[in-house]
Amino acid sequence: ECNSEVFLQEAVDHLVLAHETMGQRDSDPMTWDMVSEELAATLLVLGVRRRQSSKIGTTSAEPVMLQALRLTPGAEKAIVEPMERSCKIYESLGTAHAAHQAAAAHYQLALYFSRVWTCQRDESKTREKLAAAFKHFGLAHQYFFRSVYGNEPTFVVLSLDFSNLYSAVSGEECLSKALACCLDCRQAFSPTAVAAALERVDNSKNRNQSSDARAWFEKMTTLAENVEGRVSKLLLSLVK
């Protein structure tokens, strides 16, 4: 286990102890929520780091095909449990920022399950992991679909990953849903999204803000090509 994971676990332990010392939220709601948010963030980073340092250490949603990459139940729990705890804490806070972070945590869980569902010991486990992948992708997609503006690149990448998961499951219905995920991206490339990005460039008071806005256009141009290629491939598959 690398040092960063050790330090993150120590941070989690201290934050949990802070909650235990306070006893309950009513004693100091503001401080309790600050600790909760810090705990949720630390748990999420810990889970992601453990996933990255495992054999499933990739950000792609493409499934793993090799049986050798199957994790033990203990190793999987060490990755999944912190991220699930992070989700629950963020969802309990009820703020706009926490809702965004909860969606990000669901996305990370979706990426994990979308990688491992193909290398399970039996059909029951395969179905369980696949259902978990769809569940977490669905929750993340639901949030970012409602909050596209300002999160356009994240939404497009998430939608492409969700589309890949549907494509990995055989059947015309899944191909249709994979295509629908891509078509959902149109809002991210809408005149409203572009106008907002142009406004950010116009309103930039320093070089960094202007650079970030221009980077948005470059990133979205690349993503547009990816979406277009994915749509074409899916349409060809459906026509066949």
Side-chain angles (χ1 to χ4, degrees):
E1 189 174 1
C2 63
N3 285 338
S4 63
E5 291 172 28
V6 173
F7 295 144
L8 285 165
Q9 184 59 60
E10 288 181 358
V12 167
D13 294 341
H14 284 297
L15 289 162
V16 170
L17 185 60
H19 265 168
E20 290 176 352
T21 302
M22 294 179 70
Q24 56 184 358
R25 185 177 183 273
D26 291 344
S27 60
D28 187 344
M30 184 177 293
T31 302
W32 179 277
D33 289 350
M34 286 175 62
V35 173
S36 294
E37 190 149 349
E38 194 65 36
L39 176 58
T42 308
L43 285 166
L44 178 55
V45 174
L46 176 60
V48 172
R49 288 301 297 267
R50 284 176 175 169
R51 188 197 70 205
Q52 290 172 340
S53 62
S54 74
K55 295 171 183 177
I56 316 298
T58 176
T59 56
S60 170
E62 292 294 327
V64 177
M65 301 305 294
L66 299 178
Q67 295 293 315
L69 297 189
R70 184 190 300 137
L71 294 179
T72 65
E76 177 168 288
K77 183 178 179 181
I79 294 169
V80 172
E81 187 177 60
M83 291 193 279
E84 289 181 335
R85 287 174 64 192
S86 176
C87 279
K88 289 179 181 177
I89 293 169
Y90 276 129
E91 287 167 352
S92 73
L93 289 171
T95 65
H97 177 259
H100 183 280
Q101 292 302 106
H106 282 300
Y107 186 17
Q108 291 299 327
L109 282 162
L111 288 174
Y112 171 77
F113 286 115
S114 67
R115 290 283 294 169
V116 302
W117 73 273
T118 56
C119 52
Q120 299 304 306
R121 290 181 177 82
D122 53 53
E123 186 177 348
S124 174
K125 282 291 182 184
T126 297
R127 289 181 180 276
E128 177 188 319
K129 306 304 180 188
L130 182 58
F134 277 120
K135 170 191 169 184
H136 290 293
F137 261 127
L139 289 168
H141 184 273
Q142 186 179 49
Y143 171 82
F144 284 106
F145 185 78
R146 295 195 309 262
S147 309
V148 172
Y149 301 125
N151 298 301
E152 295 91 352
T154 299
F155 177 65
V156 174
V157 173
L158 185 157
S159 296
L160 287 170
D161 284 337
F162 202 1
S163 175
N164 284 336
L165 180 62
Y166 274 118
S167 295
V169 182
S170 60
E172 183 179 334
E173 182 181 357
C174 284
L175 284 175
S176 296
K177 289 182 177 179
L179 179 61
C181 287
C182 295
L183 297 180
D184 283 342
C185 294
R186 63 188 182 278
Q187 192 176 350
F189 300 98
S190 67
T192 303
V194 174
L198 286 170
E199 187 177 350
R200 289 196 293 272
V201 173
D202 293 339
N203 294 341
S204 295
K205 295 182 179 179
N206 60 60
R207 190 174 299 173
N208 287 338
Q209 287 178 325
S210 179
S211 176
D212 288 345
R214 288 184 172 83
W216 181 92
F217 279 100
E218 292 175 6
K219 188 179 295 184
M220 293 302 288
T221 299
T222 301
L223 288 172
E225 294 170 358
N226 293 341
V227 172
E228 184 178 1
R230 185 87 185 115
V231 168
S232 297
K233 184 177 180 181
L234 288 167
L235 286 172
L236 284 172
S237 298
L238 284 166
V239 169
K240 291 178 183 177

